[in-house]
Amino acid sequence: MPSAPNQHATAMLIRKLESIATLTDEQRQAVLSLPVRTHTLAARQDIVRDGDKPSHCCLILDGWACRYKLLGDGRRQILSFHIPGDVPDLQSLHIPTMDHGLATVTKATVAFIPHDSLRELTLRHPNIGALLWRDTLIDAGIFRAWMVGMGRRSAYEQVAHLFCEMYLKLQAVGLAEHYRYPLPLTQIDLADALGLTSVHVNRVLKEMRGRTLITLHGQTLVIEAWDELLRVAEFDPTYLHLEKRAA
């Protein structure tokens, strides 16, 4: 099926870009005009695999996704989590072969944007190109924060830091408020992201609930003590470079 403009889909990209910068009306219209193909995928389904040579980038419209790498024995390291508005394989515009996989965490709707259309957009609107580059640089900042966490933070501090990060990211695109947000991650997902065991994650979550830092209602996380969670994590949101931040 050929790609065609889908303003509902590309509006998600605008919402993400405007969480880190301001777009002009002309730039918004240019993004809205991007051709896309949308697909709904089941949970835990590959979007693009390690070694693929994609001809498009993937925009998350609904649900969660993750970047991941598999070792030879099947062990998985999650490299990042992605929410609606994210384009987690933007680097494929310039690096032709994927060196990791991208998969859904939940049932998800994704939009595929042809590389050629994105390249044309950035040629016609260099400021949008600079903004997409900025988004990849923010991704690099998130990678650095995760590396510090796995190398130097305790398991308790790592979980606290991730919970703070995800709240601010979701809040910035209108998907979280009042220190409450959807958290459709299993303890195995958290363990694979933080370099821990699921048993260790379970102990940390139990301790956080016992200290009334958080509560979990199904797949909804409620942060009961935001300032204390920030203190525990030594969380500085500068690396996210968001236009909107929690109070």
Side-chain angles (χ1 to χ4, degrees):
M1 181 185 299
S3 300
N6 180 328
Q7 294 198 348
H8 171 71
T10 47
M12 293 298 301
L13 179 56
I14 289 174
R15 185 163 70 173
K16 167 61 185 292
L17 294 176
E18 291 200 320
S19 75
I20 59 174
T22 301
L23 297 176
T24 66
D25 289 342
E26 183 183 5
Q27 289 167 347
R28 288 190 198 94
Q29 190 56 50
V31 174
L32 287 172
S33 298
L34 282 169
V36 301
R37 290 181 295 108
T38 60
H39 294 272
T40 298
L41 305 175
R44 310 196 180 280
Q45 183 173 337
D46 278 327
I47 300 170
V48 61
R49 294 183 176 90
D50 196 344
D52 281 355
K53 298 179 183 293
S55 60
H56 51 251
C57 288
C58 168
L59 167 65
I60 309 299
L61 301 180
D62 184 59
W64 285 41
C66 69
R67 291 189 184 110
Y68 73 95
K69 189 80 175 178
L70 287 180
L71 298 183
D73 61 4
R75 284 177 294 166
R76 177 182 66 161
Q77 177 65 52
I78 289 178
L79 306 169
S80 54
F81 291 116
H82 294 278
I83 60 174
D86 284 353
V87 185
D89 58 349
L90 194 56
Q91 72 276 6
S92 68
L93 265 177
H94 303 291
I95 301 175
T97 303
M98 292 292 293
D99 57 19
H100 61 275
L102 174 65
T104 59
V105 174
T106 65
K107 180 180 178 181
T109 302
V110 300
F112 294 111
I113 309 173
H115 283 169
D116 288 346
S117 298
L118 280 170
R119 292 191 184 103
E120 182 183 353
L121 173 70
T122 59
L123 288 173
R124 287 189 291 110
H125 298 275
N127 288 342
I128 294 179
L131 185 52
L132 294 174
W133 182 33
R134 181 182 179 185
D135 189 49
T136 63
L137 293 174
I138 292 171
D139 267 353
I142 293 172
F143 286 141
R144 288 190 291 273
W146 281 37
M147 184 181 296
V148 171
M150 284 189 279
R152 290 293 178 258
R153 292 191 181 100
S154 69
Y156 194 87
E157 292 163 347
Q158 282 191 77
V159 174
H161 200 277
L162 179 63
F163 285 171
C164 292
E165 177 181 296
M166 295 311 303
Y167 176 69
L168 291 182
K169 285 187 63 178
L170 287 158
Q171 186 204 42
V173 293
L175 297 176
E177 61 181 354
H178 307 308
Y179 305 108
R180 173 190 300 263
Y181 63 91
L183 187 71
L185 305 177
T186 67
Q187 290 181 14
I188 292 174
D189 293 331
L190 290 171
D192 285 354
L194 301 175
L196 304 170
T197 66
S198 57
V199 172
H200 203 163
V201 169
N202 181 270
R203 286 200 298 265
V204 168
L205 295 177
K206 186 177 296 184
E207 184 178 355
M208 285 185 165
R209 288 192 294 261
R211 293 186 181 184
T212 325
L213 278 182
I214 64 164
T215 54
L216 283 163
H217 302 290
Q219 293 189 331
T220 298
L221 176 74
V222 180
I223 300 173
E224 304 287 358
W226 173 251
D227 289 341
E228 178 62 12
L229 199 68
L230 290 177
R231 187 195 66 78
V232 167
E234 295 187 3
F235 189 83
D236 178 354
T238 302
Y239 72 101
L240 296 173
H241 300 282
L242 295 171
E243 291 282 297
K244 304 171 187 176
R245 293 183 183 170

